[in-house]
Amino acid sequence: MQLCIMVPKFSRMQGFIGPVTWLILAEIFPSRLRGLGMGLSVFFLWITNSIIGLSTTFFIFVVLGAGGILFVKKHMPETKGRTLEELEHYFRTYDDKDLFYYLRIWWTQCLSYGGY
């Protein structure tokens, strides 16, 4: 459901509002002051974005990103220097009941019920 809300929002932002901002900034200054005007406008635009970006939402994103890194470090095996056959053997014989064990059980139950 949230994906249905976020995709139009971001497509509107990236496809309409974002480019219009830069177009207006490029058009409102006369040629002789365009460099200075664009420089000052972009400076204040980035300062404003930085102030807004340091809100709680940004820190939630940082915490989720750090959690993702820790999850990958803990639960994902190192694949560097291994062949695909070695990786397949590793995943087929992996016996530790960690998070992936429970995810596989959940997924097979979802498939057997025909949905989530």
Side-chain angles (χ1 to χ4, degrees):
M1 181 65 179
Q2 285 187 350
L3 188 62
C4 295
I5 296 170
M6 297 304 287
V7 168
K9 179 182 178 191
F10 285 128
S11 63
R12 186 183 75 234
M13 176 60 188
Q14 296 300 322
F16 177 70
I17 298 173
V20 169
T21 302
W22 295 102
L23 179 66
I24 290 173
L25 286 177
E27 296 292 327
I28 62 173
F29 298 109
S31 296
R32 60 186 173 85
L33 296 175
R34 187 166 291 150
L36 178 64
M38 284 289 292
L40 286 172
S41 298
V42 170
F43 172 76
F44 285 108
L45 184 64
W46 278 99
I47 293 296
T48 305
N49 285 341
S50 298
I51 292 169
I52 292 171
L54 292 177
S55 66
T56 306
T57 305
F58 177 74
F59 290 112
I60 291 171
F61 178 74
V62 169
V63 169
L64 290 175
I69 290 171
L70 293 174
F71 174 81
V72 168
K73 287 291 241 181
K74 182 176 181 186
H75 295 289
M76 297 300 291
E78 178 61 52
T79 59
K80 184 177 180 180
R82 289 181 162 177
T83 65
L84 290 176
E85 290 79 15
E86 290 172 340
L87 290 174
E88 182 180 359
H89 176 60
Y90 174 80
F91 285 116
R92 288 190 186 274
T93 60
Y94 192 70
D95 200 16
D96 189 19
K97 291 184 180 179
D98 62 351
L99 179 63
F100 290 116
Y101 171 77
Y102 298 108
L103 285 175
R104 281 192 301 270
I105 291 174
W106 173 79
W107 183 250
T108 54
Q109 288 175 350
C110 286
L111 292 177
S112 66
Y113 294 135
Y116 296 100

